Amino acid sequence: MSVPPGAWLIVGEAAEKYRMMAGRSRNPHIAAILRMAANVLEQAAWELANGRISHSTLENLEVMENLLKTKGQPFSPVRSARELARRYLSKRLLEISEIAADDIGLPSYV
């Protein structure tokens, strides 16, 4: 399964927006959180561009979404990236399980 075309680019643009928001923030703690969100989104964009999503990146996106929520910062781009990564990972794991079932001679129930 391939990643939807341009998905990595959209996630990368969201990372740049968070980086710009961090630069404009007057609160150093909020600026640090926004920079962390940008870093997590950049990692997700890189992994999407390479067609691989790690569980740790998915967990980092979830943690960052919750942190942004608690600090009253915009979190929908992080949520969208997390959902995209989760769907990609789920479909990829399903494909792997079907291949494994074929290899050992089990019928596919999907």
Side-chain angles (χ1 to χ4, degrees):
M1 184 216 140
S2 64
V3 176
W8 65 272
L9 186 59
I10 293 168
V11 174
E13 287 174 356
E16 284 303 311
K17 287 180 184 177
Y18 275 102
R19 202 164 298 290
M20 288 188 314
M21 288 169 47
R24 289 183 288 208
S25 177
R26 294 182 185 185
N27 183 330
H29 300 291
I30 296 297
I33 291 169
L34 294 170
R35 281 192 299 274
M36 286 189 301
N39 291 341
V40 170
L41 286 168
E42 284 176 356
Q43 179 66 29
W46 185 85
E47 290 184 15
L48 285 169
N50 289 304
R52 298 181 184 156
I53 296 293
S54 67
H55 286 281
S56 62
T57 298
L58 188 59
E59 289 172 1
N60 289 342
L61 287 166
E62 185 173 351
V63 167
M64 191 51 55
E65 178 186 349
N66 291 332
L67 182 59
L68 289 168
K69 276 183 197 178
T70 61
K71 297 299 180 182
Q73 299 300 310
F75 60 89
S76 61
V78 176
R79 180 192 304 156
S80 298
R82 181 180 57 84
E83 284 299 311
L84 178 66
R86 186 189 57 76
R87 280 182 283 177
Y88 174 77
L89 189 58
S90 296
K91 288 181 181 178
R92 185 70 185 126
L93 289 173
L94 181 62
E95 288 175 359
I96 291 169
S97 67
E98 287 176 349
I99 292 168
D102 287 343
D103 287 348
I104 60 174
L106 294 175
S108 176
Y109 294 103
V110 182

